[in-house]
Amino acid sequence: MAALVSGCTAQAVDTDGKAQPPVRISTTKPGDGDRDGDGDKKGAGKGSDKGGEKPDGADTPAAAPKPPPKTLLDRGASGPQVRELQARLRQIAWFHQDPSETYGASTATAVKGFQGKRGLPRTGTTDTVTWQKLLGMTHKPTKFELYSGGGIPPSKPDPRCLNGRVLCISKASRTLTWMIDGKAVSTMDVRFGSQYTPTRDGAFEVYWKSRHHVSTLYDTAMPYAMFFSGGQAVHYSSDFAATGYNGASHGCVNVRDEKKIANLFAQVRNGDKVVVYK
């Protein structure tokens, strides 16, 4: 009895008198479990941190949910990134208007269509996932793609525009700026001739004004014409007003805003400079 209580080893003898292997009597309390030589519990069962399986019925921890994509642009937003979004959507025929920098209903509809086609949630909101997908399918918009409808900020004036009265015409920004003594009075969108009928670069003078001019060569109206180089003139173009940059002139400088060119025509005098530069 003393041996059993103290946890000592008792040795049994079988019927033929041979000694049996010693049996250790544990004094641990029920439920404590045995420990191995490292001090860890042996046979802790399934689910131990020694790599065993989890007990039957134990819940597997759920993976942490991914955070929702961050919203970049939504209805009511405005600015250069909205213009870029619209220009990129226009490249792949989801947006059919000229970029305007305003995130309205038409932009949201275009985004929703793009998302649905790519298996994304059709929210109409531009989030990080939608934006990255769009970047991968389009190229960085050119200046003319960003301003397909016009309104490009005027280029830096050519030095020849800084003195006197000058029609300062930039091919880079597709703008005409009426300048007096280096100060911009007004600016308007313009377009030029095609590669087969290019508008000439250089410094010229207005030599003739014709309010209701009609081209004898092409039999087309050239209202508010201000001639500066042979048959090339600055004038209003109803075709430019209707179709924008989808067309080109026969070498003239077309203006599409009739009110602006009417006001310009009233101010310009014969002898005023015309500078056309790239």
Side-chain angles (χ1 to χ4, degrees), residues 69-90:
K70 179 182 178 182
T71 297
L72 299 177
L73 299 167
D74 202 353
R75 291 193 185 203
S78 61
Q81 192 174 8
V82 175
R83 184 180 291 276
E84 182 178 350
L85 168 69
Q86 294 166 334
R88 287 181 181 272
L89 288 169
R90 200 168 189 260

Side-chain angles (χ1 to χ4, degrees), residues 19-213:
Q20 297 298 308
V23 177
R24 178 173 295 277
I25 306 301
S26 174
T27 60
T28 56
K29 296 179 181 179
D32 282 352
D34 292 337
R35 296 184 180 272
D36 61 15
D38 295 328
D40 294 322
K41 287 187 177 181
K42 296 176 62 179
K46 298 177 182 180
S48 70
D49 59 1
K50 283 297 189 178
E53 295 180 356
K54 295 182 180 302
D56 292 340
D59 293 334
T60 301
K66 292 183 179 180
K70 179 182 178 182
T71 297
L72 299 177
L73 299 167
D74 202 353
R75 291 193 185 203
S78 61
Q81 192 174 8
V82 175
R83 184 180 291 276
E84 182 178 350
L85 168 69
Q86 294 166 334
R88 287 181 181 272
L89 288 169
R90 200 168 189 260
Q91 289 175 13
I92 52 178
W94 279 107
F95 190 74
H96 305 286
Q97 303 176 21
D98 293 317
S100 65
E101 293 195 5
T102 300
Y103 203 121
S106 58
T107 304
T109 299
V111 171
K112 188 180 294 185
F114 174 80
Q115 290 170 326
K117 186 72 173 180
R118 272 79 204 174
L120 302 174
R122 293 169 53 88
T123 63
T125 296
T126 303
D127 54 36
T128 50
V129 174
T130 302
W131 181 248
Q132 288 302 318
K133 178 69 72 173
L134 183 60
L135 290 183
M137 298 182 62
T138 56
H139 62 263
K140 184 175 179 59
T142 66
K143 180 167 55 178
F144 294 150
E145 287 177 324
L146 291 171
Y147 293 90
S148 60
I152 299 177
S155 298
K156 182 179 180 180
D158 185 279
R160 294 169 293 181
C161 298
L162 301 179
N163 297 303
R165 299 161 57 88
V166 190
L167 294 171
C168 192
I169 303 171
S170 167
K171 287 185 174 179
S173 61
R174 299 192 294 198
T175 55
L176 181 159
T177 302
W178 171 231
M179 301 187 70
I180 299 177
D181 296 329
K183 294 182 179 181
V185 178
S186 62
T187 299
M188 56 205 74
D189 296 332
V190 295
R191 73 176 183 182
F192 306 95
S194 67
Q195 65 180 91
Y196 304 106
T197 56
T199 303
R200 290 184 279 274
D201 298 337
F204 313 93
E205 290 184 356
V206 175
Y207 70 88
W208 180 33
K209 294 173 61 181
S210 179
R211 167 65 181 84
H212 300 286
H213 193 79

